[in-house]
Amino acid sequence: MPEFCDVALPVPLDIVFTYSVPDGLLPVVGGRVLVPFRQQRLSGVVTDLHDRKPKVATKNLIGVLDPAPVFDEQLIRLGQWIANYYLAPVGEVFRTMLPLGAEFKRAVGYRITDKGQMALHLAGMSGSSARSQKTPEDQFVEFRVLDYLAERGMTREESLRAAARAPKALLAGMVRKKWIAREDLSEARDAARMVKVAVLKSVEGRLNANQQTLIDTLAAAGGKVPVDVLQSLEIPRTTLSTLAKRGLVDILQEPAQFAVSGLKPRPRLFDFQFNPAQQAALQSVQERVNGRNFAGMLLHGITGSGKTAIYLAAMRAVLEAGRSAILLVPEIGLTPAVAADLHQLFGEEVAILHSGLSDKERAEQWHRIKRGDAGMVVGTRSAVFAPVSDLALMIVDEEQDPSYKQEEMPRYHARDVAVMRAKMANAVVVLGSATPSLESYFNAKKHKYTLLELPDRVEKRPLPAVEIIDMRQEFQETGSEQVISRRLAEEIEERLERKEQVMVLLNRRGYSPVVLCRACGKTLECNNCAIAMTHHKRSHRMECHYCGYTTPVPKVCGQCGSEYIYFLGTGSEKLEELLHGMFPQARIGRLDRDTVRGREDFERALNALDEGELDLLVGTQMIAKGHDIHGVTLVGVVGADMALGLPDFRAAERTFQLLTQVAGRAGRGQTPGKVVLQTYFPDHYAVQYAAQHDFAGFYDKELRFRSWMHYPPYSALANVLVRSNKLDEALRWSGVLGKWFEKTRHEGIRVLGPAAAPILRLKQDYRYHFVLKSASREKLNVLLRSILAYATEQKIPRTQVIVDVDAVWLM
Ligand code: ADP
Ligand code: ZN
Ligand code: ZN
């Protein structure tokens, strides 16, 4: 065994750490080990085993958590690529890639020191009864702790505190006095969830009716059944224990098996024939997959053109060839109904990874994939790291969705990681969307990706007609600010009479987004952020949508005490109320983050619409994504252009995508659909092209703008943000970095800033930023590396300088 072992640890430092390998331990590259780090124990991933003696003294490994690698060579390389590309510590990257946190149990213990022994000894000499009388209560407890530790040796914190009735602060005080020592006892724990099973041993002897039923059930199931399944039979619980006592049945603990759905894969995939465009697209994907070389493909299909069917068919072919595929979907797409469909299609070979899983469930799924039991993986962002072997196909649905970007360290973009992983695996990557990102469409136009187009909806259903309502004119004609224009009201009325369904989008939740004092002009801002608080009427709270901070609804102005408080603007909660007032007979539902807590809520609302239990569904962008509800013939858009006012170069692209997506919800059934689009920017090209369903037109215009302004896809971009909860510190640090940028040569890189971030204060931090753009990704990467090194030199903590490569938000 080599003498040393390099370990990537989840700490904000861009290096690996070298440890000595003691005799008897057998670490492996790509497996986890437990190591001492500062005062704690950490689990990290072994990146190298070697005999190169480091200059500094090394500590010993504490233990080996995985006898075999959890990362194969490809995933290690992928992790290193991410660390390098996004400038993230490789240990943090590995931790993100491996959802096995549940297998590592944090624990702390204490032992008595020599000094503590001495104190105990001295106290003992003065007589134990005297000790308890003379000493104040705290000291008495201290000796109880010493007594206990002297007798028991190393003891876990919980046991010690319970036995000696010692508060945490007291133990900390004793550590400071060096009477006791604190140690991290964290260790691996068995990840497998255990279940009780009953096993049939013998069927001898006389049985009563209940006992007979149990035995029969066991025999019919092959002799082994989980106990909770038996308990759901209509038999007294004691029956099983009686049988166990008589030795007819054994009750054992076993690792839980993944719930067997009992559903067999469907013999036929779909109950429709693919249209020629679908067939052509599927065929080219399959040809490339069979070619076993890397290929990038962009599937651009308008809303309702049948992209999902292609993904599933391509995955089934991969499954039949005995290889693996990963399908990434945005969070909101993974409803329980979708999961059920996937089980139908792939039976037990599918693993579904979504944010609703507990740590343990996630670990279980990970192990199923790693063992090779599930080769079809469907999941959100982090599923891109699923440990499949023989990856043949990677699919990214709604590839433009911002939820693929992780907004914390490591700030990776799952779509781009998917492309890189496919490259490393000689696999095919398919990016799908009705509204591809400019970056991906640009790559396709430059022939880096093969472009597959589905220009028509299935069964030649028409795209909905879009009518634009100019809300400035509406204001002039009606003399007041309208939320719902006269035209939209008429159209809704008409659908309700015809018993058709309506969706109304307002991309802002809550009741009123602004609370203003008319006397002094102050708006109510969050305590932690430079953001107006939103009024939520039903919960009687003011809420910050950025940090979650809430306060009671003010009755008087906090600034001047005036009672002239006004609630301005409209959110989805108020829109729902308004619509109730206008159409009292209509059944109205609402879909936003206040009404939807989990995947089930989301699905329940959509089902209600699908089953015709709702006439009208109001909601934020949640209602725009991918749902296929045939009864909706009208989509009203009352607020989707707010983003156009934001200082973000992707504002037009996002607005175009949102409008196209929501318009795509109309007319997916037999009756053609219509969209009424209210806007204050009727002439804006994002609005105009969305209304004409003209992706190519929008794309050309937007690309020209990006080219003039040197924005992606014409340059690589990074946002460097400096933050501190002290304003002067944030200012000073951004000044220090700003000077450095002025002094350093960085040819071919544009640096904008320092400037206050559009949201100056967020979650208690003041924020200043730089935007860096360059045609050369390498140069940009080098410059970012030097600025981080300089920041460290200047003692600016690594956690306060955020480098966001390919930033999705510049706010
Ligand atoms: P997209 O993802 O492109 O918006 P979907 O794949 O969800 O579209 O397809 C929309 C609907 O059309 C789904 O209900 C799907 O089952 C159905 N569908 C897909 N392809 C066909 C086809 N060739 N003929 C009829 N229906 C189809
Ligand atoms: Zn006031
Ligand atoms: Zn806030």
Side-chain angles (χ1 to χ4, degrees):
M1 179 53 61
E3 223 178 315
F4 300 105
C5 155
D6 288 349
V7 183
L9 292 175
V11 293
L13 294 167
D14 299 290
I15 45 175
V16 291
F17 298 84
T18 305
Y19 289 87
S20 315
V21 182
D23 284 344
L25 288 191
L26 299 172
V28 290
V29 172
R32 289 166 305 157
V33 289
L34 197 59
V35 300
F37 183 81
R38 308 222 162 118
Q39 303 314 314
Q40 346 161 33
R41 290 178 171 201
L42 291 179
S43 108
V45 174
V46 177
T47 56
D48 195 12
L49 292 165
H50 58 86
D51 289 313
R52 302 185 300 276
K53 195 173 170 54
K55 290 196 189 70
V56 290
T58 52
K59 292 186 194 161
N60 277 343
L61 290 185
I62 296 169
V64 171
L65 299 181
D66 304 301
V70 285
F71 287 124
D72 60 19
E73 185 254 339
Q74 237 170 53
L75 284 175
I76 290 192
R77 268 208 296 145
L78 188 67
Q80 284 163 342
W81 177 82
I82 291 171
N84 176 54
Y85 186 96
Y86 294 102
L87 289 97
V90 70
E92 303 245 30
V93 175
F94 286 143
R95 177 171 57 182
T96 303
M97 292 173 73
L98 196 64
L100 298 181
E103 297 185 356
F104 182 64
K105 192 170 169 212
R106 294 226 138 270
V108 168
Y110 294 91
R111 64 181 167 75
I112 187 165
T113 60
D114 291 349
K115 202 169 167 195
Q117 293 280 9
M118 186 64 83
L120 191 60
H121 180 69
L122 291 173
M125 290 203 310
S126 60
S128 64
S129 59
R131 183 171 96 197
S132 61
Q133 281 159 14
K134 273 199 311 208
T135 54
E137 175 63 17
D138 265 7
Q139 232 168 324
F140 183 66
V141 180
E142 285 184 353
F143 285 109
R144 206 156 58 209
V145 169
L146 290 178
D147 266 336
Y148 191 86
L149 291 181
E151 196 170 309
R152 306 285 177 105
M154 175 64 77
T155 306
R156 280 179 183 270
E157 181 168 83
E158 311 83 76
S159 325
L160 179 63
R161 287 185 52 197
R165 295 189 298 285
K168 228 176 167 148
L170 180 126
L171 293 179
M174 292 178 73
V175 170
R176 277 196 297 276
K177 282 199 284 195
K178 299 216 165 64
W179 281 10
I180 60 175
R182 183 177 191 271
E183 268 179 43
D184 191 322
L185 301 179
S186 304
E187 58 182 25
R189 84 172 143 206
D190 197 355
R193 192 155 52 90
M194 303 299 275
V195 290
K196 268 192 198 163
V197 292
V199 181
L200 186 57
K201 300 293 286 181
S202 115
V203 288
E204 282 159 25
R206 295 174 47 140
L207 301 171
N208 67 28
N210 282 334
Q211 291 166 343
Q212 190 66 53
T213 311
L214 257 186
I215 297 283
D216 289 348
T217 309
L218 274 167
K224 187 155 86 180
V225 172
V227 168
D228 54 357
V229 171
L230 291 177
Q231 282 169 348
S232 65
L233 301 173
E234 306 233 308
I235 294 172
R237 281 168 175 250
T238 48
T239 310
L240 183 61
S241 36
T242 310
L243 288 176
K245 272 191 217 113
R246 282 176 55 187
L248 301 183
V249 170
D250 265 353
I251 296 179
L252 308 173
Q253 294 271 354
E254 272 200 354
Q257 293 294 313
F258 186 67
V260 179
S261 70
L263 296 168
K264 292 271 169 294
R266 263 201 272 191
R268 260 190 50 203
L269 262 179
F270 305 107
D271 47 13
F272 48 76
Q273 284 273 311
F274 275 18
N275 61 36
Q278 282 174 309
Q279 280 170 16
L282 178 61
Q283 197 187 340
S284 38
V285 172
Q286 282 179 331
E287 274 167 13
R288 291 313 191 88
V289 168
N290 295 336
R292 288 185 180 252
N293 272 321
F294 169 72
M297 314 185 95
L298 176 63
L299 178 60
H300 175 216
I302 62 167
T303 55
S305 57
K307 294 183 289 295
T308 313
I310 296 176
Y311 304 150
L312 298 178
M315 288 176 78
R316 253 290 276 274
V318 167
L319 178 63
E320 276 154 17
R323 305 181 66 200
S324 307
I326 301 176
L327 168 61
L328 300 184
V329 293
E331 181 59 54
I332 210 76
L334 257 188
T335 60
V338 171
D341 280 355
L342 290 166
H343 275 289
Q344 277 271 325
L345 222 47
F346 301 124
E348 287 312 298
E349 306 228 33
V350 69
I352 298 173
L353 306 169
H354 57 78
S355 64
L357 298 180
S358 68
D359 286 354
K360 270 198 166 170
E361 289 168 326
R362 196 172 290 278
E364 263 172 43
Q365 295 299 318
W366 188 92
H367 284 293
R368 283 182 66 227
I369 299 167
K370 180 78 183 160
R371 282 198 303 269
D373 292 349
M376 299 284 107
V377 178
V378 182
T380 49
R381 185 170 64 224
S382 64
V384 73
F385 302 121
V388 296
S389 55
D390 198 7
L391 178 67
L393 177 63
M394 184 73 116
I395 302 171
V396 186
D397 187 25
E398 304 285 352
E399 63 90 29
Q400 82 292 348
D401 198 284
S403 74
Y404 286 125
K405 184 78 160 47
Q406 175 151 298
E407 294 295 344
E408 57 185 62
M409 178 100 102
R411 297 175 170 262
Y412 71 93
H413 198 303
R415 173 198 60 215
D416 301 336
V417 172
V419 172
M420 187 41 72
R421 185 167 181 192
K423 255 186 203 157
M424 290 178 172
N426 280 327
V428 172
V429 61
V430 176
L431 311 180
S433 180
T435 52
S437 62
L438 269 103
E439 286 86 345
S440 296
Y441 203 71
F442 186 71
N443 281 335
K445 286 286 176 192
K446 293 260 171 238
H447 304 292
K448 272 174 80 178
Y449 298 154
T450 308
L451 184 60
L452 307 171
E453 303 243 32
L454 303 179
D456 299 311
R457 280 189 162 179
V458 299
E459 301 179 327
K460 297 264 184 245
R461 285 169 203 153
L463 280 167
V466 180
E467 183 176 352
I468 297 180
I469 309 291
D470 182 347
M471 292 307 279
R472 299 168 308 184
Q473 199 180 335
E474 186 78 7
F475 175 77
Q476 279 171 4
E477 288 173 17
T478 60
S480 65
E481 196 80 28
Q482 299 298 321
V483 177
I484 294 163
S485 62
R486 295 160 298 172
R487 186 85 187 119
L488 179 55
E490 271 167 35
E491 293 275 351
I492 294 176
E493 183 81 61
E494 227 175 80
R495 307 301 136 144
L496 293 177
E497 270 165 21
R498 294 211 298 258
K499 303 260 175 279
E500 294 171 10
Q501 292 172 310
V502 181
M503 276 189 182
V504 183
L505 173 86
L506 172 54
N507 201 17
R508 181 160 60 191
R509 69 192 172 93
Y511 195 81
S512 304
V514 178
V515 177
L516 176 76
C517 170
R518 280 276 148 102
C520 73
K522 269 296 264 191
T523 55
L524 181 64
E525 261 195 14
C526 173
N527 261 4
N528 308 317
C529 315
I531 292 286
M533 306 272 287
T534 300
H535 177 217
H536 288 253
K537 191 174 177 189
R538 195 181 305 168
S539 59
H540 300 293
R541 307 292 290 174
M542 302 298 301
E543 188 189 320
C544 170
H545 287 176
Y546 285 77
C547 73
Y549 180 74
T550 62
T551 60
V553 182
K555 295 210 166 52
V556 296
C557 172
Q559 187 80 4
C560 72
S562 141
E563 288 172 14
Y564 294 99
I565 293 191
Y566 284 74
F567 294 81
L568 303 178
T570 305
S572 51
E573 188 183 6
K574 183 161 164 190
L575 177 63
E576 181 189 5
E577 195 181 280
L578 282 171
L579 287 165
H580 266 303
M582 293 170 75
F583 308 104
Q585 74 292 358
R587 296 161 302 169
I588 303 179
R590 171 156 62 94
L591 210 56
D592 56 33
R593 273 205 285 136
D594 297 316
T595 61
V596 173
R597 250 152 246 110
R599 306 186 304 142
E600 280 81 8
D601 292 341
F602 182 67
E603 182 155 327
R604 203 169 307 125
L606 288 180
N607 275 344
L609 193 66
D610 205 19
E611 313 260 296
E613 289 158 17
L614 290 178
D615 304 308
L616 225 160
L617 185 67
V618 176
T620 55
Q621 37 127 14
M622 269 188 191
I623 66 171
K625 300 272 170 79
H627 328 303
D628 191 33
I629 291 172
H630 287 192
V632 176
T633 59
L634 175 69
V635 167
V637 180
V638 307
D641 54 7
M642 270 102 70
L644 288 176
L646 295 179
D648 188 322
F649 75 94
R650 286 199 181 85
E653 180 181 3
R654 283 206 189 97
T655 303
F656 175 81
Q657 285 165 345
L658 177 58
L659 292 176
T660 305
Q661 294 283 351
V662 72
R665 300 313 112 211
R668 293 171 76 96
Q670 299 307 323
T671 323
K674 165 150 194 189
V675 178
V676 174
L677 202 173
Q678 300 183 178
T679 178
Y680 287 94
F681 304 87
D683 307 320
H684 196 289
Y685 62 99
V687 173
Q688 285 291 336
Y689 284 121
Q692 288 147 26
H693 308 292
D694 185 357
F695 177 82
F698 172 76
Y699 168 84
D700 281 344
K701 176 116 186 166
E702 180 70 9
L703 261 195
R704 240 174 297 149
F705 160 73
R706 300 279 179 98
S707 156
W708 291 332
M709 307 291 284
H710 301 282
Y711 273 120
Y714 291 98
S715 71
L717 175 145
N719 192 26
V720 176
L721 191 127
V722 180
R723 64 175 176 189
S724 168
N725 55 11
K726 298 190 203 78
L727 176 60
D728 53 343
E729 208 166 47
L731 274 169
R732 184 158 50 81
W733 289 342
S734 60
V736 166
L737 299 190
K739 285 227 181 58
W740 186 85
F741 278 124
E742 271 171 31
K743 281 191 312 219
T744 345
R745 277 175 58 82
H746 42 263
E747 237 168 87
I749 299 172
R750 283 156 205 272
V751 180
L752 312 176
I759 299 174
L760 173 61
R761 191 159 175 262
L762 187 66
K763 299 181 183 170
Q764 301 193 337
D765 279 332
Y766 293 92
R767 310 154 79 242
Y768 289 82
H769 74 150
F770 301 85
V771 175
L772 277 58
K773 297 185 288 188
S774 174
S776 156
R777 207 168 255 296
E778 288 69 40
K779 281 187 188 162
L780 181 64
N781 189 288
V782 169
L783 184 68
L784 290 169
R785 236 164 251 294
S786 351
I787 191 81
L788 276 181
Y790 183 71
T792 308
E793 214 179 288
Q794 294 293 310
K795 305 254 176 323
I796 307 176
R798 174 75 153 94
T799 47
Q800 308 308 100
V801 183
I802 296 169
V803 170
D804 192 356
V805 176
D806 300 342
V808 160
W809 300 104
L810 294 179
M811 301 300 285

